[in-house]
Amino acid sequence: MANDPTASVYAEAPTTSNPGCVIRITEGHDAGREECLRKGSLIIGKSSDCGMQLSDTTVSGHHLSIEVVPEGLLVIDLGSKNGTFYLETRLERAVLQHGAALRLGRTRLLLASIQPLAGTDYSTRMEYGSIVGSAPSMRRLYAMLERIEGLDYTTLLLGETGVGKEHIAREIHAHSQRSNGPFEICDCASLAPSLIESELFGHERGAFTGAHRDYRGVFERANGGTLFLDEIGELPMDLQPRLLRVLEAHTVRRVGSGETRTVDVRVLAATHRDLTADVHAGKFRQDLFFRLNLVALQIPPLRERREDIPNLIQRFLDDLGQSNWVVSPSTLELFTSGYDWPGNVRELKHAVARVQALGTLPDDLAPSDTEVAKNIGVVGTFREAKVHIINAFERDYLAAKLASCDNNISQAARDSGMERNQFKRLLRKHNLLDNTRE
């Protein structure tokens, strides 16, 4: 069986201990610098004996330390004067994950994943066609996609709702030998049970009440190309044998017809369900599962590739025709670090559209101050919470207004209805004077 070309091939991230992180400076005097921390700890500050020395004068000599621990990345503020901020809240000690962003003085840094070397398991690509993402889990997926480009196997896409299975199916088709053929979709979850058979296999005129004309099903429409069966786990049990026969014999018979028609179709199927468990529970046919599962691709959820979120946001803004629209730093940090995105890429896309159109966060995304404080192990007083909210608002407003005025302080102050000196004082308070002009 080891050399059986029909044996299932899985794209799964290898299980390893915490590999550490890349500490990347994204804003400030030292922007562009990065340090790789694979194990142990690293002290960051402006003193010469720090493992990562910064030139930012608003940073303390020994400002903070970052340590690789089994649970993630332990960040400890070392009694700095100006503080270490996560999600615009002052942090003292917290275990954070990849994708978290920190602010210290005028410097912002990102805790990014260490990129693995290219090889059998990981591609050199940082994107695949229109698929955005350079996190290790995505490079692992790209390597699998590259391996199946010349194959015509039935492929099963597995992953949570909203991870982008249809998008990946389209790219599989675009990179295949069938790219010039049709790409058809059948969503097994959205069709009424009485309509699925007709949508899959077609029907003859008069086959049932309402069948006023002959109808070509998706298998016929996809002839010479690719058929994407979304949510295959929802396919009724009584239709599963018919689907299996089509996959095996490459022929379909319309409802109400005795004639079979030959079809040449590659099938890509997707589900968020655990089909193995459904097979054991008698809810899905084992023989159909084996036939669909020749190649299986596990699509990672968004919470496991948080460092891809900024690039995804930019792609969504480009798609909206808002390429120059600026997401404020604190909102970007919240998107990247402060939420688990149970709806995955689809939910992120809707959130970006809402922020761009309405200037407000979805209710599920906007955390209360208590929730933010709980996440980082700091519970403040009422006064501290109030100050935090005001400061976060001020910084977001100022940054967005500056961006909309090309960093011109005078114009931004006029647009804000504020005196220029007052506006500049607030910019100084929030360390936003860098790269501005009078």
Side-chain angles (χ1 to χ4, degrees):
M1 290 295 292
N3 297 319
D4 182 0
T6 65
S8 295
V9 183
Y10 288 85
E12 297 175 342
T15 55
T16 60
S17 58
N18 186 354
C21 70
V22 172
I23 303 166
R24 182 175 301 134
I25 301 176
T26 60
E27 184 180 323
H29 294 90
D30 302 293
R33 280 186 54 201
E34 54 182 49
E35 292 284 345
C36 184
L37 177 62
R38 295 186 180 276
K39 61 182 180 179
S41 62
L42 179 76
I43 294 178
I44 300 174
K46 65 182 180 183
S47 294
S48 59
D49 59 344
C50 290
M52 189 175 195
Q53 184 182 10
L54 303 180
S55 57
D56 184 352
T57 57
T58 62
V59 170
S60 296
H62 297 88
H63 198 105
L64 80 158
S65 70
I66 301 175
E67 181 181 356
V68 178
V69 295
E71 300 80 14
L73 302 163
L74 175 61
V75 179
I76 302 175
D77 184 89
L78 301 175
S80 65
K81 179 179 178 181
N82 292 326
T84 300
F85 291 82
Y86 170 62
L87 296 178
E88 294 304 320
T89 302
R90 190 160 184 162
L91 171 154
E92 294 179 359
R93 179 187 182 97
V95 175
L96 305 178
Q97 303 302 318
H98 292 131
L102 299 170
R103 178 169 64 84
L104 42 155
R106 298 189 182 96
T107 298
R108 286 180 183 270
L109 53 85
L110 174 71
L111 308 183
S113 298
I114 293 177
Q115 290 290 346
L117 297 175
T120 304
D121 293 330
Y122 295 95
S123 170
T124 59
R125 295 175 185 256
M126 294 301 174
E127 56 185 32
Y128 188 88
S130 61
I131 302 173
V132 175
S134 59
S137 58
M138 293 301 290
R139 288 183 53 197
R140 170 73 168 168
L141 176 63
Y142 299 160
M144 288 298 300
L145 292 174
E146 290 169 353
R147 289 174 61 186
I148 66 174
E149 283 180 1
L151 305 177
D152 211 29
Y153 288 165
T154 302
T155 301
L156 187 61
L157 307 180
L158 306 171
E160 299 173 8
T161 298
V163 293
K165 296 186 285 291
E166 179 184 331
H167 194 73
I168 291 171
R170 289 184 181 276
E171 287 300 330
I172 292 174
H173 171 72
H175 286 80
S176 74
Q177 298 172 353
R178 297 175 176 268
S179 58
N180 292 327
F183 180 85
E184 291 286 335
I185 300 173
C186 180
D187 186 350
C188 300
S190 65
L191 293 171
S194 60
L195 298 178
I196 293 180
E197 183 176 20
S198 178
E199 179 61 21
L200 285 173
F201 312 118
H203 63 252
E204 294 287 295
R205 178 182 178 185
F208 49 83
T209 302
H212 301 304
R213 58 181 178 85
D214 292 348
Y215 182 74
R216 297 167 63 236
V218 286
F219 271 98
E220 288 187 65
R221 302 200 301 269
N223 192 38
T226 303
L227 171 59
F228 176 55
L229 298 176
D230 199 9
E231 295 301 346
I232 190 67
E234 309 303 321
L235 187 68
M237 284 289 289
D238 60 337
L239 289 182
Q240 292 180 22
R242 286 202 62 185
L243 175 58
L244 179 62
R245 283 195 294 273
V246 174
L247 296 177
E248 296 287 357
H250 306 289
T251 60
V252 295
R253 188 174 69 250
R254 294 178 181 178
V255 177
S257 173
E259 178 187 356
T260 59
R261 291 173 167 82
T262 300
V263 290
D264 174 24
V265 175
R266 181 188 186 178
V267 171
L268 308 176
T271 183
H272 72 282
R273 299 172 65 96
D274 183 346
L275 288 188
T276 302
D278 284 353
V279 168
H280 291 318
K283 298 178 181 179
F284 200 86
R285 288 181 63 102
Q286 186 179 56
D287 48 4
L288 177 58
F289 172 67
F290 287 153
R291 186 63 181 77
L292 293 170
N293 201 37
L294 295 180
V295 177
L297 301 177
Q298 186 73 46
I299 318 303
L302 189 56
R303 63 181 174 276
E304 293 181 4
R305 55 184 192 106
R306 294 177 182 273
E307 58 264 55
D308 289 336
I309 290 176
N311 287 335
L312 284 167
I313 290 174
Q314 189 58 55
R315 172 61 61 84
F316 298 148
L317 290 173
D318 292 345
D319 292 344
L320 290 168
Q322 301 291 333
S323 300
N324 296 324
W325 199 80
V326 178
V327 178
S328 68
S330 59
T331 298
L332 184 60
E333 288 179 12
L334 177 61
F335 273 47
T336 305
S337 307
Y339 188 58
D340 277 343
W341 300 105
N344 292 292
V345 178
R346 181 185 299 146
E347 184 183 9
L348 174 64
K349 184 175 183 178
H350 293 165
V352 170
R354 172 166 176 164
V355 171
Q356 193 280 320
L358 303 177
T360 60
L361 294 171
D363 292 340
D364 289 342
L365 179 60
S368 67
D369 184 72
T370 302
E371 289 170 337
V372 173
K374 181 180 178 182
N375 286 338
I376 62 173
V378 179
V379 178
T381 64
F382 172 82
R383 181 180 179 279
E384 290 168 339
K386 182 178 179 181
V387 170
H388 159 67
I389 292 172
I390 293 172
N391 284 337
F393 166 77
E394 287 180 353
R395 183 178 177 84
D396 275 6
Y397 181 86
L398 295 168
K401 185 59 69 176
L402 273 176
S404 69
C405 296
D406 195 27
N407 285 336
N408 185 296
I409 295 176
S410 298
Q411 182 181 345
R414 286 194 301 270
D415 287 359
S416 303
M418 299 170 64
E419 293 291 336
R420 183 180 172 282
N421 288 340
Q422 180 189 13
F423 191 86
K424 192 170 182 178
R425 178 177 57 79
L426 287 175
L427 292 179
R428 185 176 296 107
K429 170 186 174 182
H430 294 285
N431 297 317
L432 292 174
L433 277 172
D434 287 354
N435 301 317
T436 58
R437 54 195 181 89
E438 300 294 331

